[in-house]
């Protein structure tokens, strides 16, 4: 059974909202303001999921997707919308998240770059891309959102000659050295047997441990090391670890984060390989880095060699419990904080500590608008003013939203 609906706003994830008899329906590949004929694909108590059967009245912002694999590949989900309007939709979603937390937003600015050939990092599975919601592999020789360097690799390396398994590639003209594409050597699952303590001689029990070395973070495999030049600074990282994949927007974001900053002491919380700290060392007498992934800290130490800094291979919570008080006693109060937490947002202890810290400046970067807004609400209730909010448009043609918020202590 089909239904005629008119789409309302776009929600997080990129689906558009409509209603049938007061019940919310979420529709992928739609545009706000369209009249559509839809069919329900899944029904739940509070909402339904649907697919488009026919576009009755298209939005003026609907365009023909430029990639022949759009809708088949599991990557982009907004290519049916013109690039400029996409930015406004992502901005609207970000604003909704903050306003739901009771925060009055300043005018949201957008930091953006090219909308094609921007992505320096991709992941291949058995030499290709995964189909949308499937384990089936798509062979390809070109990805319109990937950099020219990655596409050169895809064009010149047949699928059967590409590494097997799940493999990360990083390719960009900013890579230092002759090779402009780094293909990661993937970690393997290693099985080993360990005797159970206390087992009798007749009963030699063994415990087989599956050690999965494929985890979020970095490794010290030299073959996976990549070094890029960002705004005149060389930054090394591991291709399998996290590093931003839109380097054009990253450069602009760093410029905004460090604007009007400087002083004696700054905290880089969730510092990763020290991407922000590399620039903060030019502005502050000393930088304190906190990062739970100690492999990432090794890269940070390389990147900050010769600068005055101190690194802690701890979670934010443990740094606050065991190290923060002594660090401040020895180095003085922080004048600024740059914080870039995971999707789950700040750890509770970190957020609580920041709220009571009265540190004059906080620059908060996030890859999840919902948790960013949640944490921002705690800061605002504790005397901070949200002075600026930016949509960081790292991933055009997707619904992924990253943001930068500037807070100043006002009480």
């Amino acid at each position: 059974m089909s239904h005629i609906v008119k789409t309302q706003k776009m929600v997080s994830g990129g689906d558009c909202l409509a209603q049938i008899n007061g019940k919310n329906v979420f529709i992928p590949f739609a545009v706000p303001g369209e009249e559509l004929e839809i069919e329900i694909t899944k029904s739940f108590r509070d909402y339904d999921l649907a697919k488009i059967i026919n576009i009755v009245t298209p939005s003026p912002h609907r365009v023909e997707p430029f990639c022949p694999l759009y809708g088949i590949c599991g990557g982009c989900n907004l290519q049916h919308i013109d690039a400029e309007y996409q930015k406004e939709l992502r901005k609207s979603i970000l604003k909704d998240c903050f306003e739901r937390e009771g925060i009055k937003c300043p005018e949201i600015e957008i930091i953006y770059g090219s909308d094609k050939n921007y992505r320096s990092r991709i992941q291949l599975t058995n030499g290709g891309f995964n189909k949308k919601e499937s384990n089936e592999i798509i062979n390809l020789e070109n990805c319109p959102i990937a950099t020219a360097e990655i596409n050169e690799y895809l064009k010149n390396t047949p699928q059967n000659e590409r590494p097997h398994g799940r493999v990360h590639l990083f390719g960009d003209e900013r890579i230092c050295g002759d090779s402009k594409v780094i293909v990661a050597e993937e970690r393997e699952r290693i099985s080993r047997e360990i005797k159970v303590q206390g087992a009798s001689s007749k009963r030699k029990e063994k415990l087989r441990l599956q050690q999965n070395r494929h985890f979020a973070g970095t490794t010290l495999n030299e073959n996976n090391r990549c070094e890029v030049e960002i705004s005149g600074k060389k930054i090394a990282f591991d291709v399998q670890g996290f590093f931003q994949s839109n380097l054009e927007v990253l450069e602009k974001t760093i410029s905004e984060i460090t604007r009007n900053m400087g002083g004696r002491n700054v905290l880089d919380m969730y510092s990763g390989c020290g991407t922000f700290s590399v620039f903060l060392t030019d502005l502050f007498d000393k930088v304190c880095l906190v990062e739970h992934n100690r492999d990432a800290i090794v890269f940070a130490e390389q990147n900050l060699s010769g600068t005055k800094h101190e690194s802690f291979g701890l979670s934010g919570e443990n740094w606050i419990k065991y190290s923060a008080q002594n660090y401040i006693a020895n180095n003085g109060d922080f004048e600024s904080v740059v914080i870039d937490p995971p999707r789950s947002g700040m750890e509770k202890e970190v957020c609580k500590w920041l709220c009571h810290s009265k540190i004059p400046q906080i620059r908060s970067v996030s890859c999840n608008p919902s948790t960013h807004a949640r944490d921002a609400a705690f800061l605002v209730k504790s005397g901070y003013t949200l002075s600026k909010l930016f949509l960081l448009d790292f991933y055009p043609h997707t619904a992924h939203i990253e943001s930068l918020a500037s807070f100043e202590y006002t009480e």
Side-chain angles (χ1 to χ4, degrees):
M1 179 181 177
S2 65
H3 304 268
I4 302 295
V5 298
K6 186 165 185 177
T7 53
Q8 301 169 21
K9 66 180 182 179
M10 181 172 283
V11 298
S12 294
D15 292 351
C16 281
L17 176 67
Q19 288 191 329
I20 299 175
N21 298 325
K23 188 178 185 182
N24 286 337
V25 182
F26 297 98
I27 311 164
F29 303 112
V31 188
E34 290 188 319
E35 188 177 6
L36 304 173
E37 182 182 3
I38 63 168
E39 183 179 283
I40 303 300
T41 56
K42 287 186 180 179
S43 188
F44 301 92
R45 191 175 81 172
D46 297 326
Y47 65 93
D48 291 334
L49 303 179
K51 66 178 181 180
I52 299 173
I53 301 298
N54 182 40
I55 301 171
V56 180
T57 307
S59 166
H61 299 291
R62 180 175 283 276
V63 296
E64 191 68 24
F66 53 83
C67 178
L69 295 177
Y70 183 63
I72 301 171
C73 166
C76 300
N77 65 342
L78 296 184
Q79 278 190 27
H80 61 284
I81 304 173
D82 74 68
E84 288 304 309
Y85 189 52
Q86 283 184 39
K87 294 188 188 77
E88 294 303 314
L89 292 174
R90 287 188 284 269
K91 186 169 81 169
S92 177
I93 293 170
L94 177 61
K95 183 179 180 181
D96 283 349
C97 288
F98 274 72
E99 289 185 343
R100 277 198 300 271
E101 295 290 344
I103 301 172
K104 185 177 180 181
C105 291
E107 179 61 33
I108 298 174
E109 300 177 55
I110 305 176
I111 297 176
Y112 65 94
S114 303
D115 68 320
K116 296 185 182 75
N117 300 120
Y118 66 82
R119 191 177 178 104
S120 302
R121 176 190 173 95
I122 65 168
Q123 179 179 284
L124 298 178
T125 302
N126 295 334
F129 284 177
N130 284 100
K131 271 192 174 183
K132 184 177 174 65
E133 299 177 353
S134 170
N135 290 325
E136 189 176 342
I137 305 302
I138 306 168
N139 185 22
L140 76 162
E141 294 183 356
N142 181 271
C143 173
I145 67 167
T147 60
E149 290 73 20
I150 287 177
N151 281 318
E152 190 72 14
Y153 171 87
L154 295 174
K155 178 182 177 182
N156 295 327
T157 310
Q159 186 177 17
N160 60 0
E161 295 181 16
R162 300 171 193 168
H164 188 76
R166 185 175 295 174
V167 176
H168 291 90
L169 278 71
F170 199 95
D172 199 278
E173 64 181 1
R174 297 172 181 82
I175 292 178
C176 304
D178 295 333
S179 177
K180 299 302 181 183
V181 177
I182 307 295
V183 182
E185 291 184 1
E186 296 296 293
R187 307 175 181 95
E188 298 177 352
R189 288 183 180 271
I190 299 176
S191 299
R192 57 192 176 99
E193 293 183 341
I194 297 178
K195 293 180 180 179
V196 174
Q197 296 292 326
S200 68
S201 58
K202 293 182 180 179
R203 187 170 174 264
K204 296 290 185 182
E205 296 184 9
K206 292 180 180 180
L207 178 65
R208 183 175 297 275
L209 296 180
Q210 291 292 333
Q211 185 179 16
N212 185 358
R213 295 187 180 275
H214 188 86
F215 63 95
T218 59
T219 179
L220 301 182
N221 184 340
E222 188 65 23
N223 292 328
N224 290 349
R225 185 180 187 274
C226 182
E227 187 176 55
V228 294
E229 185 168 326
I230 303 291
S231 298
K233 302 279 190 179
K234 291 184 178 180
I235 303 173
F237 60 95
D238 186 280
V239 175
Q240 286 186 260
F242 174 77
F243 196 81
Q244 187 54 252
S245 59
N246 188 329
L247 301 189
E248 180 185 5
V249 176
L250 175 60
E251 288 181 328
K252 295 177 181 179
T253 298
I254 291 169
S255 177
E256 190 56 48
I257 287 173
T258 56
R259 189 185 305 278
N260 298 324
M261 293 186 81
R264 289 182 53 210
N265 209 7
V266 61
L267 171 64
D268 186 357
M269 177 65 74
Y270 309 112
S271 67
C273 67
T275 303
F276 299 141
S277 286
V278 167
F279 296 89
L280 294 172
T281 55
D282 290 341
L283 303 171
F284 291 86
D285 295 339
K286 188 172 183 180
V287 180
C288 175
L289 297 85
V290 179
E291 170 57 52
H292 81 283
N293 188 314
R294 296 184 185 185
D295 289 342
I297 285 291
V298 172
F299 278 97
E301 286 296 326
Q302 295 175 17
N303 293 327
L304 274 74
S305 177
T307 67
K308 193 171 182 182
H309 68 278
E310 193 167 344
S311 301
F312 294 85
L314 298 169
S315 68
E317 179 180 356
N318 284 335
W319 179 78
I320 288 165
K321 283 182 179 179
Y322 305 117
S323 302
Q325 188 172 350
N326 285 339
Y327 183 90
I328 293 171
N330 293 330
N331 297 279
D333 291 332
F334 291 108
E335 292 151 297
S336 300
V337 173
V338 176
I339 185 165
D340 185 6
R343 288 190 61 80
S344 55
M346 300 180 198
E347 296 157 275
K348 288 183 180 179
E349 288 300 319
V350 171
C351 189
K352 183 178 179 181
W353 179 81
L354 275 182
C355 287
H356 291 91
S357 69
K358 300 182 181 179
I359 295 171
Q361 285 183 322
I362 298 175
R363 302 290 180 263
S364 175
V365 181
S366 175
C367 60
N368 184 335
S370 296
T371 56
H372 201 188
R374 178 201 68 196
D375 296 337
F378 286 113
L379 291 170
V380 169
K381 290 173 185 175
S382 301
Y384 281 91
T385 297
L386 175 62
S387 58
K388 287 188 176 183
L389 183 60
F390 295 88
L391 167 68
L392 304 178
D393 208 35
F394 279 110
Y395 299 101
H397 308 297
T398 79
H400 185 77
I401 293 172
E402 302 207 13
S403 49
L404 165 64
S406 296
F407 299 93
E408 325 296 331
Y409 189 72
T410 54
E411 288 189 358

